PDB file of all heavy atoms in Angstrom:
ATOM      1  N   ILE A1479      -2.571 -15.385  -2.475  1.00  0.00           N
ATOM      2  CA  ILE A1479      -2.048 -16.689  -2.045  1.00  0.00           C
ATOM      3  C   ILE A1479      -1.753 -17.571  -3.247  1.00  0.00           C
ATOM      4  O   ILE A1479      -0.705 -18.217  -3.328  1.00  0.00           O
ATOM      5  CB  ILE A1479      -3.048 -17.382  -1.104  1.00  0.00           C
ATOM      6  CG1 ILE A1479      -3.203 -16.594   0.205  1.00  0.00           C
ATOM      7  CG2 ILE A1479      -2.590 -18.815  -0.799  1.00  0.00           C
ATOM      8  CD1 ILE A1479      -4.274 -17.133   1.137  1.00  0.00           C
ATOM      9  N   GLN A1480      -2.673 -17.581  -4.199  1.00  0.00           N
ATOM     10  CA  GLN A1480      -2.510 -18.454  -5.356  1.00  0.00           C
ATOM     11  C   GLN A1480      -1.393 -17.995  -6.282  1.00  0.00           C
ATOM     12  O   GLN A1480      -0.880 -18.806  -7.068  1.00  0.00           O
ATOM     13  CB  GLN A1480      -3.829 -18.561  -6.121  1.00  0.00           C
ATOM     14  CG  GLN A1480      -4.893 -19.344  -5.351  1.00  0.00           C
ATOM     15  CD  GLN A1480      -6.213 -19.421  -6.085  1.00  0.00           C
ATOM     16  OE1 GLN A1480      -7.120 -18.650  -5.836  1.00  0.00           O
ATOM     17  NE2 GLN A1480      -6.312 -20.369  -7.007  1.00  0.00           N
ATOM     18  N   ARG A1481      -0.992 -16.744  -6.196  1.00  0.00           N
ATOM     19  CA  ARG A1481       0.110 -16.255  -7.023  1.00  0.00           C
ATOM     20  C   ARG A1481       1.471 -16.509  -6.380  1.00  0.00           C
ATOM     21  O   ARG A1481       2.500 -16.387  -7.054  1.00  0.00           O
ATOM     22  CB  ARG A1481      -0.061 -14.754  -7.281  1.00  0.00           C
ATOM     23  CG  ARG A1481      -1.109 -14.422  -8.328  1.00  0.00           C
ATOM     24  CD  ARG A1481      -0.599 -14.554  -9.756  1.00  0.00           C
ATOM     25  NE  ARG A1481       0.416 -13.557 -10.070  1.00  0.00           N
ATOM     26  CZ  ARG A1481       0.144 -12.324 -10.483  1.00  0.00           C
ATOM     27  NH1 ARG A1481      -1.117 -11.922 -10.614  1.00  0.00           N
ATOM     28  NH2 ARG A1481       1.114 -11.495 -10.774  1.00  0.00           N
ATOM     29  N   THR A1482       1.503 -16.815  -5.089  1.00  0.00           N
ATOM     30  CA  THR A1482       2.798 -17.078  -4.447  1.00  0.00           C
ATOM     31  C   THR A1482       3.316 -18.440  -4.886  1.00  0.00           C
ATOM     32  O   THR A1482       2.562 -19.396  -5.018  1.00  0.00           O
ATOM     33  CB  THR A1482       2.690 -17.030  -2.912  1.00  0.00           C
ATOM     34  OG1 THR A1482       1.725 -17.988  -2.456  1.00  0.00           O
ATOM     35  CG2 THR A1482       2.270 -15.644  -2.445  1.00  0.00           C
ATOM     36  N   LYS A1483       4.621 -18.504  -5.075  1.00  0.00           N
ATOM     37  CA  LYS A1483       5.246 -19.742  -5.526  1.00  0.00           C
ATOM     38  C   LYS A1483       5.810 -20.564  -4.383  1.00  0.00           C
ATOM     39  O   LYS A1483       6.039 -21.768  -4.535  1.00  0.00           O
ATOM     40  CB  LYS A1483       6.364 -19.417  -6.529  1.00  0.00           C
ATOM     41  CG  LYS A1483       5.889 -18.753  -7.819  1.00  0.00           C
ATOM     42  CD  LYS A1483       7.057 -18.504  -8.756  1.00  0.00           C
ATOM     43  CE  LYS A1483       6.594 -17.979 -10.114  1.00  0.00           C
ATOM     44  NZ  LYS A1483       5.963 -16.644 -10.011  1.00  0.00           N
ATOM     45  N   THR A1484       6.053 -19.909  -3.250  1.00  0.00           N
ATOM     46  CA  THR A1484       6.655 -20.594  -2.105  1.00  0.00           C
ATOM     47  C   THR A1484       6.056 -20.049  -0.805  1.00  0.00           C
ATOM     48  O   THR A1484       5.484 -18.948  -0.792  1.00  0.00           O
ATOM     49  CB  THR A1484       8.179 -20.351  -2.057  1.00  0.00           C
ATOM     50  OG1 THR A1484       8.412 -18.939  -1.835  1.00  0.00           O
ATOM     51  CG2 THR A1484       8.853 -20.788  -3.348  1.00  0.00           C
ATOM     52  N   PRO A1485       6.207 -20.781   0.291  1.00  0.00           N
ATOM     53  CA  PRO A1485       5.763 -20.241   1.586  1.00  0.00           C
ATOM     54  C   PRO A1485       6.469 -18.939   1.924  1.00  0.00           C
ATOM     55  O   PRO A1485       5.870 -18.030   2.495  1.00  0.00           O
ATOM     56  CB  PRO A1485       6.141 -21.350   2.577  1.00  0.00           C
ATOM     57  CG  PRO A1485       6.203 -22.596   1.770  1.00  0.00           C
ATOM     58  CD  PRO A1485       6.694 -22.168   0.421  1.00  0.00           C
ATOM     59  N   GLU A1486       7.761 -18.844   1.551  1.00  0.00           N
ATOM     60  CA  GLU A1486       8.526 -17.641   1.890  1.00  0.00           C
ATOM     61  C   GLU A1486       7.946 -16.388   1.244  1.00  0.00           C
ATOM     62  O   GLU A1486       8.003 -15.305   1.835  1.00  0.00           O
ATOM     63  CB  GLU A1486       9.992 -17.804   1.452  1.00  0.00           C
ATOM     64  CG  GLU A1486      10.768 -18.857   2.226  1.00  0.00           C
ATOM     65  CD  GLU A1486      10.799 -20.193   1.509  1.00  0.00           C
ATOM     66  OE1 GLU A1486       9.810 -20.522   0.817  1.00  0.00           O
ATOM     67  OE2 GLU A1486      11.812 -20.911   1.648  1.00  0.00           O
ATOM     68  N   GLU A1487       7.396 -16.518   0.046  1.00  0.00           N
ATOM     69  CA  GLU A1487       6.797 -15.343  -0.596  1.00  0.00           C
ATOM     70  C   GLU A1487       5.594 -14.855   0.204  1.00  0.00           C
ATOM     71  O   GLU A1487       5.436 -13.654   0.422  1.00  0.00           O
ATOM     72  CB  GLU A1487       6.382 -15.676  -2.029  1.00  0.00           C
ATOM     73  CG  GLU A1487       7.546 -15.815  -2.986  1.00  0.00           C
ATOM     74  CD  GLU A1487       7.116 -15.832  -4.444  1.00  0.00           C
ATOM     75  OE1 GLU A1487       5.891 -15.807  -4.713  1.00  0.00           O
ATOM     76  OE2 GLU A1487       8.007 -15.854  -5.316  1.00  0.00           O
ATOM     77  N   LEU A1488       4.751 -15.787   0.629  1.00  0.00           N
ATOM     78  CA  LEU A1488       3.579 -15.395   1.405  1.00  0.00           C
ATOM     79  C   LEU A1488       3.974 -14.842   2.765  1.00  0.00           C
ATOM     80  O   LEU A1488       3.430 -13.832   3.223  1.00  0.00           O
ATOM     81  CB  LEU A1488       2.642 -16.598   1.575  1.00  0.00           C
ATOM     82  CG  LEU A1488       1.334 -16.344   2.325  1.00  0.00           C
ATOM     83  CD1 LEU A1488       0.558 -15.178   1.715  1.00  0.00           C
ATOM     84  CD2 LEU A1488       0.476 -17.606   2.332  1.00  0.00           C
ATOM     85  N   ILE A1489       4.949 -15.460   3.404  1.00  0.00           N
ATOM     86  CA  ILE A1489       5.426 -14.965   4.702  1.00  0.00           C
ATOM     87  C   ILE A1489       6.020 -13.571   4.538  1.00  0.00           C
ATOM     88  O   ILE A1489       5.847 -12.706   5.407  1.00  0.00           O
ATOM     89  CB  ILE A1489       6.462 -15.927   5.306  1.00  0.00           C
ATOM     90  CG1 ILE A1489       5.818 -17.291   5.584  1.00  0.00           C
ATOM     91  CG2 ILE A1489       7.035 -15.356   6.605  1.00  0.00           C
ATOM     92  CD1 ILE A1489       6.815 -18.386   5.917  1.00  0.00           C
ATOM     93  N   GLY A1490       6.710 -13.331   3.431  1.00  0.00           N
ATOM     94  CA  GLY A1490       7.285 -12.011   3.199  1.00  0.00           C
ATOM     95  C   GLY A1490       6.219 -10.940   3.109  1.00  0.00           C
ATOM     96  O   GLY A1490       6.371  -9.843   3.673  1.00  0.00           O
ATOM     97  N   VAL A1491       5.115 -11.226   2.411  1.00  0.00           N
ATOM     98  CA  VAL A1491       4.016 -10.266   2.325  1.00  0.00           C
ATOM     99  C   VAL A1491       3.422 -10.028   3.702  1.00  0.00           C
ATOM    100  O   VAL A1491       3.134  -8.881   4.091  1.00  0.00           O
ATOM    101  CB  VAL A1491       2.928 -10.776   1.355  1.00  0.00           C
ATOM    102  CG1 VAL A1491       1.707  -9.862   1.393  1.00  0.00           C
ATOM    103  CG2 VAL A1491       3.478 -10.850  -0.069  1.00  0.00           C
ATOM    104  N   ILE A1492       3.250 -11.102   4.468  1.00  0.00           N
ATOM    105  CA  ILE A1492       2.682 -10.970   5.818  1.00  0.00           C
ATOM    106  C   ILE A1492       3.610 -10.132   6.697  1.00  0.00           C
ATOM    107  O   ILE A1492       3.153  -9.262   7.459  1.00  0.00           O
ATOM    108  CB  ILE A1492       2.442 -12.361   6.424  1.00  0.00           C
ATOM    109  CG1 ILE A1492       1.275 -13.043   5.710  1.00  0.00           C
ATOM    110  CG2 ILE A1492       2.166 -12.260   7.933  1.00  0.00           C
ATOM    111  CD1 ILE A1492       1.108 -14.503   6.048  1.00  0.00           C
ATOM    112  N   ALA A1493       4.916 -10.381   6.611  1.00  0.00           N
ATOM    113  CA  ALA A1493       5.872  -9.596   7.405  1.00  0.00           C
ATOM    114  C   ALA A1493       5.768  -8.115   7.048  1.00  0.00           C
ATOM    115  O   ALA A1493       5.838  -7.242   7.923  1.00  0.00           O
ATOM    116  CB  ALA A1493       7.291 -10.104   7.169  1.00  0.00           C
ATOM    117  N   HIS A1494       5.607  -7.833   5.761  1.00  0.00           N
ATOM    118  CA  HIS A1494       5.430  -6.441   5.311  1.00  0.00           C
ATOM    119  C   HIS A1494       4.175  -5.835   5.945  1.00  0.00           C
ATOM    120  O   HIS A1494       4.210  -4.704   6.440  1.00  0.00           O
ATOM    121  CB  HIS A1494       5.324  -6.416   3.787  1.00  0.00           C
ATOM    122  CG  HIS A1494       4.938  -5.094   3.218  1.00  0.00           C
ATOM    123  ND1 HIS A1494       5.854  -4.143   2.841  1.00  0.00           N
ATOM    124  CD2 HIS A1494       3.712  -4.544   2.970  1.00  0.00           C
ATOM    125  CE1 HIS A1494       5.218  -3.072   2.375  1.00  0.00           C
ATOM    126  NE2 HIS A1494       3.913  -3.291   2.446  1.00  0.00           N
ATOM    127  N   GLU A1495       3.062  -6.574   5.939  1.00  0.00           N
ATOM    128  CA  GLU A1495       1.827  -6.055   6.533  1.00  0.00           C
ATOM    129  C   GLU A1495       1.979  -5.852   8.037  1.00  0.00           C
ATOM    130  O   GLU A1495       1.429  -4.902   8.604  1.00  0.00           O
ATOM    131  CB  GLU A1495       0.654  -6.991   6.225  1.00  0.00           C
ATOM    132  CG  GLU A1495       0.327  -7.141   4.744  1.00  0.00           C
ATOM    133  CD  GLU A1495      -0.021  -5.817   4.077  1.00  0.00           C
ATOM    134  OE1 GLU A1495      -0.571  -4.928   4.764  1.00  0.00           O
ATOM    135  OE2 GLU A1495       0.260  -5.659   2.876  1.00  0.00           O
ATOM    136  N   LEU A1496       2.730  -6.719   8.694  1.00  0.00           N
ATOM    137  CA  LEU A1496       3.006  -6.535  10.121  1.00  0.00           C
ATOM    138  C   LEU A1496       3.799  -5.253  10.351  1.00  0.00           C
ATOM    139  O   LEU A1496       3.658  -4.592  11.387  1.00  0.00           O
ATOM    140  CB  LEU A1496       3.774  -7.736  10.676  1.00  0.00           C
ATOM    141  CG  LEU A1496       3.024  -9.072  10.701  1.00  0.00           C
ATOM    142  CD1 LEU A1496       3.964 -10.195  11.155  1.00  0.00           C
ATOM    143  CD2 LEU A1496       1.811  -9.004  11.619  1.00  0.00           C
ATOM    144  N   GLY A1497       4.626  -4.902   9.354  1.00  0.00           N
ATOM    145  CA  GLY A1497       5.358  -3.640   9.430  1.00  0.00           C
ATOM    146  C   GLY A1497       4.414  -2.456   9.458  1.00  0.00           C
ATOM    147  O   GLY A1497       4.667  -1.451  10.134  1.00  0.00           O
ATOM    148  N   HIS A1498       3.297  -2.549   8.724  1.00  0.00           N
ATOM    149  CA  HIS A1498       2.295  -1.484   8.765  1.00  0.00           C
ATOM    150  C   HIS A1498       1.638  -1.409  10.146  1.00  0.00           C
ATOM    151  O   HIS A1498       1.379  -0.324  10.661  1.00  0.00           O
ATOM    152  CB  HIS A1498       1.224  -1.734   7.708  1.00  0.00           C
ATOM    153  CG  HIS A1498       1.645  -1.405   6.308  1.00  0.00           C
ATOM    154  ND1 HIS A1498       2.181  -0.183   5.969  1.00  0.00           N
ATOM    155  CD2 HIS A1498       1.611  -2.146   5.170  1.00  0.00           C
ATOM    156  CE1 HIS A1498       2.454  -0.186   4.664  1.00  0.00           C
ATOM    157  NE2 HIS A1498       2.124  -1.361   4.164  1.00  0.00           N
ATOM    158  N   ILE A1499       1.366  -2.574  10.745  1.00  0.00           N
ATOM    159  CA  ILE A1499       0.744  -2.583  12.074  1.00  0.00           C
ATOM    160  C   ILE A1499       1.687  -1.960  13.090  1.00  0.00           C
ATOM    161  O   ILE A1499       1.306  -1.049  13.839  1.00  0.00           O
ATOM    162  CB  ILE A1499       0.372  -4.023  12.491  1.00  0.00           C
ATOM    163  CG1 ILE A1499      -0.740  -4.564  11.597  1.00  0.00           C
ATOM    164  CG2 ILE A1499      -0.058  -4.060  13.956  1.00  0.00           C
ATOM    165  CD1 ILE A1499      -1.106  -6.017  11.866  1.00  0.00           C
ATOM    166  N   SER A1500       2.912  -2.456  13.129  1.00  0.00           N
ATOM    167  CA  SER A1500       3.877  -1.938  14.107  1.00  0.00           C
ATOM    168  C   SER A1500       4.213  -0.477  13.858  1.00  0.00           C
ATOM    169  O   SER A1500       4.519   0.272  14.795  1.00  0.00           O
ATOM    170  CB  SER A1500       5.162  -2.779  14.073  1.00  0.00           C
ATOM    171  OG  SER A1500       4.902  -4.109  14.440  1.00  0.00           O
ATOM    172  N   GLY A1501       4.151  -0.057  12.590  1.00  0.00           N
ATOM    173  CA  GLY A1501       4.467   1.327  12.263  1.00  0.00           C
ATOM    174  C   GLY A1501       3.307   2.281  12.437  1.00  0.00           C
ATOM    175  O   GLY A1501       3.446   3.479  12.162  1.00  0.00           O
ATOM    176  N   GLY A1502       2.154   1.755  12.877  1.00  0.00           N
ATOM    177  CA  GLY A1502       1.000   2.627  13.092  1.00  0.00           C
ATOM    178  C   GLY A1502       0.389   3.130  11.804  1.00  0.00           C
ATOM    179  O   GLY A1502      -0.243   4.186  11.779  1.00  0.00           O
ATOM    180  N   HIS A1503       0.538   2.357  10.708  1.00  0.00           N
ATOM    181  CA  HIS A1503       0.003   2.779   9.411  1.00  0.00           C
ATOM    182  C   HIS A1503      -1.397   2.229   9.163  1.00  0.00           C
ATOM    183  O   HIS A1503      -1.874   2.244   8.036  1.00  0.00           O
ATOM    184  CB  HIS A1503       0.896   2.271   8.263  1.00  0.00           C
ATOM    185  CG  HIS A1503       2.334   2.619   8.421  1.00  0.00           C
ATOM    186  ND1 HIS A1503       3.341   1.930   7.777  1.00  0.00           N
ATOM    187  CD2 HIS A1503       2.952   3.579   9.152  1.00  0.00           C
ATOM    188  CE1 HIS A1503       4.512   2.447   8.102  1.00  0.00           C
ATOM    189  NE2 HIS A1503       4.303   3.443   8.944  1.00  0.00           N
ATOM    190  N   LEU A1504      -2.031   1.691  10.188  1.00  0.00           N
ATOM    191  CA  LEU A1504      -3.311   1.020  10.005  1.00  0.00           C
ATOM    192  C   LEU A1504      -4.333   1.906   9.332  1.00  0.00           C
ATOM    193  O   LEU A1504      -4.370   3.120   9.543  1.00  0.00           O
ATOM    194  CB  LEU A1504      -3.883   0.585  11.369  1.00  0.00           C
ATOM    195  CG  LEU A1504      -3.183  -0.592  12.052  1.00  0.00           C
ATOM    196  CD1 LEU A1504      -3.766  -0.801  13.431  1.00  0.00           C
ATOM    197  CD2 LEU A1504      -3.333  -1.838  11.230  1.00  0.00           C
ATOM    198  N   ILE A1505      -5.174   1.262   8.522  1.00  0.00           N
ATOM    199  CA  ILE A1505      -6.290   1.968   7.926  1.00  0.00           C
ATOM    200  C   ILE A1505      -7.179   2.461   9.051  1.00  0.00           C
ATOM    201  O   ILE A1505      -7.612   1.690   9.901  1.00  0.00           O
ATOM    202  CB  ILE A1505      -7.071   1.021   7.001  1.00  0.00           C
ATOM    203  CG1 ILE A1505      -6.160   0.580   5.852  1.00  0.00           C
ATOM    204  CG2 ILE A1505      -8.338   1.671   6.471  1.00  0.00           C
ATOM    205  CD1 ILE A1505      -6.706  -0.582   5.080  1.00  0.00           C
ATOM    206  N   ARG A1506      -7.429   3.761   9.085  1.00  0.00           N
ATOM    207  CA  ARG A1506      -8.177   4.344  10.193  1.00  0.00           C
ATOM    208  C   ARG A1506      -9.671   4.286   9.939  1.00  0.00           C
ATOM    209  O   ARG A1506     -10.160   4.769   8.926  1.00  0.00           O
ATOM    210  CB  ARG A1506      -7.761   5.810  10.403  1.00  0.00           C
ATOM    211  CG  ARG A1506      -6.269   5.956  10.692  1.00  0.00           C
ATOM    212  CD  ARG A1506      -5.863   5.211  11.957  1.00  0.00           C
ATOM    213  NE  ARG A1506      -4.434   5.342  12.220  1.00  0.00           N
ATOM    214  CZ  ARG A1506      -3.812   4.731  13.222  1.00  0.00           C
ATOM    215  NH1 ARG A1506      -4.483   3.962  14.037  1.00  0.00           N
ATOM    216  NH2 ARG A1506      -2.520   4.885  13.382  1.00  0.00           N
ATOM    217  N   THR A1507     -10.387   3.697  10.831  1.00  0.00           N
ATOM    218  CA  THR A1507     -11.843   3.644  10.762  1.00  0.00           C
ATOM    219  C   THR A1507     -12.380   3.913  12.150  1.00  0.00           C
ATOM    220  O   THR A1507     -11.619   4.072  13.104  1.00  0.00           O
ATOM    221  CB  THR A1507     -12.329   2.271  10.297  1.00  0.00           C
ATOM    222  OG1 THR A1507     -11.872   1.283  11.218  1.00  0.00           O
ATOM    223  CG2 THR A1507     -11.809   1.939   8.911  1.00  0.00           C
ATOM    224  N   ARG A1508     -13.698   3.935  12.276  1.00  0.00           N
ATOM    225  CA  ARG A1508     -14.306   4.133  13.588  1.00  0.00           C
ATOM    226  C   ARG A1508     -13.844   3.043  14.535  1.00  0.00           C
ATOM    227  O   ARG A1508     -13.691   1.885  14.173  1.00  0.00           O
ATOM    228  CB  ARG A1508     -15.823   4.090  13.473  1.00  0.00           C
ATOM    229  CG  ARG A1508     -16.407   5.282  12.763  1.00  0.00           C
ATOM    230  CD  ARG A1508     -17.907   5.180  12.723  1.00  0.00           C
ATOM    231  NE  ARG A1508     -18.454   4.998  14.041  1.00  0.00           N
ATOM    232  CZ  ARG A1508     -19.755   4.793  14.283  1.00  0.00           C
ATOM    233  NH1 ARG A1508     -20.604   4.736  13.297  1.00  0.00           N
ATOM    234  NH2 ARG A1508     -20.184   4.645  15.516  1.00  0.00           N
ATOM    235  N   GLN A1509     -13.636   3.403  15.781  1.00  0.00           N
ATOM    236  CA  GLN A1509     -13.182   2.443  16.774  1.00  0.00           C
ATOM    237  C   GLN A1509     -14.142   1.263  16.874  1.00  0.00           C
ATOM    238  O   GLN A1509     -13.753   0.143  17.190  1.00  0.00           O
ATOM    239  CB  GLN A1509     -13.040   3.116  18.143  1.00  0.00           C
ATOM    240  CG  GLN A1509     -12.461   2.197  19.215  1.00  0.00           C
ATOM    241  CD  GLN A1509     -12.274   2.923  20.530  1.00  0.00           C
ATOM    242  OE1 GLN A1509     -12.554   4.101  20.643  1.00  0.00           O
ATOM    243  NE2 GLN A1509     -11.809   2.204  21.535  1.00  0.00           N
ATOM    244  N   ALA A1510     -15.414   1.507  16.568  1.00  0.00           N
ATOM    245  CA  ALA A1510     -16.417   0.449  16.662  1.00  0.00           C
ATOM    246  C   ALA A1510     -16.062  -0.735  15.776  1.00  0.00           C
ATOM    247  O   ALA A1510     -16.450  -1.864  16.067  1.00  0.00           O
ATOM    248  CB  ALA A1510     -17.791   0.985  16.277  1.00  0.00           C
ATOM    249  N   LEU A1511     -15.319  -0.501  14.708  1.00  0.00           N
ATOM    250  CA  LEU A1511     -14.978  -1.605  13.828  1.00  0.00           C
ATOM    251  C   LEU A1511     -14.095  -2.622  14.520  1.00  0.00           C
ATOM    252  O   LEU A1511     -14.051  -3.787  14.128  1.00  0.00           O
ATOM    253  CB  LEU A1511     -14.276  -1.088  12.571  1.00  0.00           C
ATOM    254  CG  LEU A1511     -15.160  -0.445  11.506  1.00  0.00           C
ATOM    255  CD1 LEU A1511     -14.328  -0.082  10.298  1.00  0.00           C
ATOM    256  CD2 LEU A1511     -16.290  -1.366  11.115  1.00  0.00           C
ATOM    257  N   GLU A1512     -13.366  -2.215  15.541  1.00  0.00           N
ATOM    258  CA  GLU A1512     -12.517  -3.158  16.237  1.00  0.00           C
ATOM    259  C   GLU A1512     -13.340  -4.165  17.026  1.00  0.00           C
ATOM    260  O   GLU A1512     -12.820  -5.163  17.508  1.00  0.00           O
ATOM    261  CB  GLU A1512     -11.534  -2.419  17.152  1.00  0.00           C
ATOM    262  CG  GLU A1512     -10.574  -1.529  16.369  1.00  0.00           C
ATOM    263  CD  GLU A1512      -9.421  -1.020  17.201  1.00  0.00           C
ATOM    264  OE1 GLU A1512      -9.297  -1.460  18.363  1.00  0.00           O
ATOM    265  OE2 GLU A1512      -8.655  -0.188  16.692  1.00  0.00           O
ATOM    266  N   GLU A1513     -14.632  -3.922  17.165  1.00  0.00           N
ATOM    267  CA  GLU A1513     -15.509  -4.847  17.866  1.00  0.00           C
ATOM    268  C   GLU A1513     -16.517  -5.468  16.898  1.00  0.00           C
ATOM    269  O   GLU A1513     -17.456  -6.136  17.323  1.00  0.00           O
ATOM    270  CB  GLU A1513     -16.245  -4.113  18.988  1.00  0.00           C
ATOM    271  CG  GLU A1513     -15.305  -3.507  20.018  1.00  0.00           C
ATOM    272  CD  GLU A1513     -16.036  -2.623  21.019  1.00  0.00           C
ATOM    273  OE1 GLU A1513     -17.248  -2.419  20.850  1.00  0.00           O
ATOM    274  OE2 GLU A1513     -15.389  -2.169  21.969  1.00  0.00           O
ATOM    275  N   ALA A1514     -16.325  -5.254  15.611  1.00  0.00           N
ATOM    276  CA  ALA A1514     -17.274  -5.744  14.611  1.00  0.00           C
ATOM    277  C   ALA A1514     -16.795  -7.065  14.026  1.00  0.00           C
ATOM    278  O   ALA A1514     -15.659  -7.488  14.215  1.00  0.00           O
ATOM    279  CB  ALA A1514     -17.433  -4.718  13.494  1.00  0.00           C
TER     280      ALA A1514
END
């Protein structure tokens, strides 16, 4: 966050991470972590 110069830079990183979620690239862990 502190390295971003504008809101758009931070939003761009977030959009990229959302691409991982929608693409099913999530870091795989035990299902129990979803309730932790």
Side-chain angles (χ1 to χ4, degrees):
I1479 295 174
Q1480 290 178 263
R1481 283 279 293 275
T1482 58
K1483 296 181 174 65
T1484 64
E1486 293 96 327
E1487 287 193 356
L1488 182 53
I1489 297 168
V1491 173
I1492 289 169
H1494 171 91
E1495 298 301 329
L1496 294 175
H1498 284 308
I1499 293 176
S1500 297
H1503 308 159
L1504 288 174
I1505 297 166
R1506 301 299 179 184
T1507 60
R1508 290 181 54 184
Q1509 185 177 359
L1511 283 184
E1512 297 192 7
E1513 300 172 355

